[in-house]
Amino acid sequence: MREEPSGLNEEPIGLYLHFPFCLLKCRYCNFPSEAGCEELIEPYLAALFAEMEFYRGLEVRTVYLGGGTPSLLSPRQLEALFEALRRNFSLMPGREETIEINPATGSPSLWEKAREGGINRASIGAQSFSDRILEKLGRLHDSAAVGKTVEDLKKAGIDNFSLDLMYGLPEQTLEDWEETLEAALSLKPKHLSIYGLSIEEGTPFFRDRERLVLPEEETEVAMAEKAEEILSSAGFVHYEIASWALPGFESMHNRIYWRLEPYVGLGTGAHSYFRHQRYQHSPSIRDYLDHPLPLLPEAPLSKREEMEEFVFLGLRMLEEGISKRKFENRFGISLEAVFGKSIARLKERDLILQEGDRIRLNPLHFLLANEVFVEFV
Ligand code: SF4
């Protein structure tokens, strides 16, 4: 029989909870989420609570309630979720607790309940401040709804919030993008997550890809550069490939992923890296209802796999990068001994920088990050 986590002598974890329900699927979305099955929410929560018991006793330093659309939960359901968290985990003081919000959902009473339950950070899926583009994306809210959500969150005492924005969207111009960035900044976020659109198989955008009028590649590059220019002059630090923050407001939870520290993901499609094992739930809600406990892999990651992950995840952090000393302390061998040739090649191409103990992506070429990562796998 497999050994269950006991919490004793265990490093504190980041805890991710996936809530896979949405009002309607956005046209670009291939995340594990479904619309039109609200009757499964209560059984899903019961399954999530059962899975929490499997990890009972672990110490938790961040909680991330993602989706899907967790802001679809009712105040009563959210309260039940917090109770289950308190029952099953040792929640560390000073922890970061984030909820993802779709501005088409939620209410002042939900934000009130969220803050009472420990939520101190919100990640709002704004995506664009152009109503024309939001409609093309199949989003169910307009740009004004983002402002209203921010206002209500602040009234409830949650003023640490991040906005998700997308560029490279159908019919989006450089001017649209600039206006979106300015409108986002006018709401005074502490953090921004910025993604280029990627057309994923199985989505309506993929089906209609021949008809989509997408910006040229050079316009997309200009959009990335525009974000760089506007956000750095507003005091934001581009600290991870897709993430910007005012100093001190970097996402603690996401840093756990990038530093290859332990985390546990509960719910459909959720990933875990725990006790040197990587595993993932099925994306299907019905599968999860049948089997809420994780299927653990037969073997942990090999040392080589962990070294590769440590490097390519760490390099996502544009400021912090990877520390040669930390690598050696963790794996008992120097970074150069394992990846010396790759590092030399990348330095020659000016794609990475070496500054004392630290190796990081050259921020001037962060759009070429994938070329760097393949060197390490
Ligand atoms: S709200 Fe988010 S998870 Fe739900 S369909 Fe839209 S993009 Fe996907």
Side-chain angles (χ1 to χ4, degrees):
M1 209 178 118
R2 292 183 192 284
E3 193 193 346
E4 291 187 12
S6 71
L8 289 177
N9 304 319
E10 198 84 61
E11 217 181 312
I13 58 158
L15 181 66
Y16 176 82
L17 304 166
H18 191 72
F19 184 77
F21 300 91
C22 289
L23 284 177
L24 191 73
K25 279 298 269 188
C26 302
R27 304 191 67 236
Y28 57 89
C29 176
N30 76 334
F31 302 138
S33 69
E34 291 182 39
C37 51
E38 291 73 20
E39 72 286 359
L40 297 181
I41 292 180
E42 286 291 341
Y44 182 83
L45 288 175
L48 208 55
F49 300 164
E51 192 182 7
M52 283 185 196
E53 283 178 23
F54 177 80
Y55 294 103
R56 197 180 187 115
L58 291 180
E59 211 175 357
V60 169
R61 57 185 173 129
T62 59
V63 177
Y64 195 103
L65 182 50
T69 308
S71 48
L72 265 182
L73 286 162
S74 69
R76 182 190 56 75
Q77 289 165 334
L78 194 61
E79 191 173 8
L81 194 135
F82 291 132
E83 268 172 31
L85 281 175
R86 285 193 292 269
R87 211 167 44 240
N88 288 292
F89 298 103
S90 158
L91 301 171
M92 291 174 72
R95 70 193 170 277
E96 175 188 271
E97 281 198 32
T98 305
I99 185 170
E100 281 184 354
I101 294 174
N102 178 327
T105 61
S107 62
S109 58
L110 187 68
W111 313 143
E112 194 63 42
K113 192 58 78 186
R115 190 193 43 77
E116 283 168 18
I119 294 287
N120 49 25
R121 183 172 184 273
S123 172
I124 305 171
Q127 315 309 352
S128 170
F129 281 80
S130 154
D131 290 343
R132 174 179 57 84
I133 288 175
L134 286 170
E135 201 182 324
K136 290 205 177 301
L137 294 176
R139 302 286 299 180
L140 286 173
H141 58 88
D142 58 14
S143 55
V146 182
K148 173 80 171 78
T149 301
V150 167
E151 200 183 303
D152 290 345
L153 281 168
K154 285 184 179 168
K155 278 188 197 148
I158 303 173
D159 58 5
N160 179 6
F161 68 94
S162 175
L163 296 174
D164 282 1
L165 300 177
M166 294 171 81
Y167 67 94
L169 300 174
E171 294 174 37
Q172 188 183 37
T173 63
L174 188 56
E175 291 70 37
D176 288 328
W177 176 235
E178 199 171 337
E179 281 167 22
T180 278
L181 289 166
E182 298 291 0
L185 287 179
S186 73
L187 296 177
K188 306 219 174 310
K190 303 284 197 279
H191 188 283
L192 291 154
S193 295
I194 296 187
Y195 306 97
L197 174 70
S198 136
I199 308 275
E200 303 290 343
E201 241 179 295
T203 62
F205 268 11
F206 187 82
R207 199 188 54 224
D208 299 341
R209 62 195 180 283
E210 303 299 337
R211 286 196 295 275
L212 293 179
V213 184
L214 295 169
E216 298 291 327
E217 203 179 319
E218 65 208 40
T219 310
E220 268 202 60
V221 171
M223 287 175 173
E225 287 169 357
K226 187 53 80 181
E228 204 77 32
E229 176 196 320
I230 292 184
L231 299 181
S232 18
S233 44
F236 283 77
V237 178
H238 193 182
Y239 75 102
E240 189 269 341
I241 289 177
S243 313
W244 296 78
L246 293 176
F249 290 94
E250 299 84 1
S251 161
M252 283 169 64
H253 183 82
N254 288 344
R255 269 192 166 159
I256 290 176
Y257 301 150
W258 303 321
R259 289 177 177 164
L260 196 63
E261 293 167 346
Y263 61 89
V264 160
L266 273 53
T268 54
H271 296 251
S272 298
Y273 169 68
F274 183 59
R275 293 184 174 171
H276 305 280
Q277 292 173 315
R278 270 213 181 282
Y279 47 97
Q280 184 185 2
H281 273 296
S282 149
S284 146
I285 296 177
R286 283 149 195 91
D287 282 356
Y288 184 70
L289 294 182
D290 289 342
H291 305 286
L293 297 190
L295 277 176
L296 302 179
E298 287 306 319
L301 291 178
S302 67
K303 183 169 160 185
R304 173 78 199 189
E305 286 169 322
E306 288 204 329
M307 290 191 292
E308 291 173 358
E309 291 204 9
F310 181 89
V311 173
F312 72 75
L313 289 170
L315 285 173
R316 292 191 63 91
M317 295 182 285
L318 299 178
E319 293 277 298
E320 180 174 318
I322 45 173
S323 148
K324 292 194 285 180
R325 180 182 44 78
K326 281 191 185 153
F327 183 95
E328 193 160 344
N329 288 345
R330 181 161 176 170
F331 299 109
I333 183 167
S334 77
L335 183 67
E336 274 84 3
V338 186
F339 295 116
K341 284 188 186 146
S342 302
I343 291 171
R345 271 196 297 273
L346 292 167
K347 276 202 321 208
E348 212 174 284
R349 294 175 62 201
D350 206 24
L351 292 179
I352 57 172
L353 305 173
Q354 180 156 4
E355 296 155 341
D357 176 56
R358 199 155 293 284
I359 293 188
R360 61 186 188 112
L361 283 185
N362 183 343
L364 295 176
H365 303 306
F366 80 93
L367 291 173
L368 301 177
N370 285 339
E371 291 186 30
V372 174
F373 300 155
V374 293
E375 278 282 353
F376 297 101
V377 289

